[in-house]
Amino acid sequence: MGARPGPPPDLGDDEPRHPAVDAAVRSLVNAATLAPADQIAQYEAAYETLRETLATIDQT
């Protein structure tokens, strides 16, 4: 089994961030500690959040 990814790098406070994207990334990091069967719901929720966020960005 391969190594699990670590937390995303700290981008610093001067980088523009989006709260929904940050929350989705945190949920993916947290999902790494769950059993594989439980990770699926976390991944699906993060995917949906990212998809919706990108759709709203495209509309602006």
Side-chain angles (χ1 to χ4, degrees):
M1 198 174 256
R4 292 184 182 232
D10 182 16
L11 298 177
D13 292 337
D14 56 343
E15 294 292 327
R17 307 287 290 267
H18 193 287
V21 173
D22 288 344
V25 170
R26 278 192 303 277
S27 74
L28 293 175
V29 171
N30 293 338
T33 63
L34 301 174
D38 297 330
Q39 291 176 355
I40 295 170
Q42 292 287 338
Y43 294 147
E44 289 175 343
Y47 167 79
E48 189 62 27
T49 297
L50 294 171
R51 189 185 69 73
E52 289 173 0
T53 302
L54 289 172
T56 60
I57 290 170
D58 286 344
Q59 294 173 2
T60 58

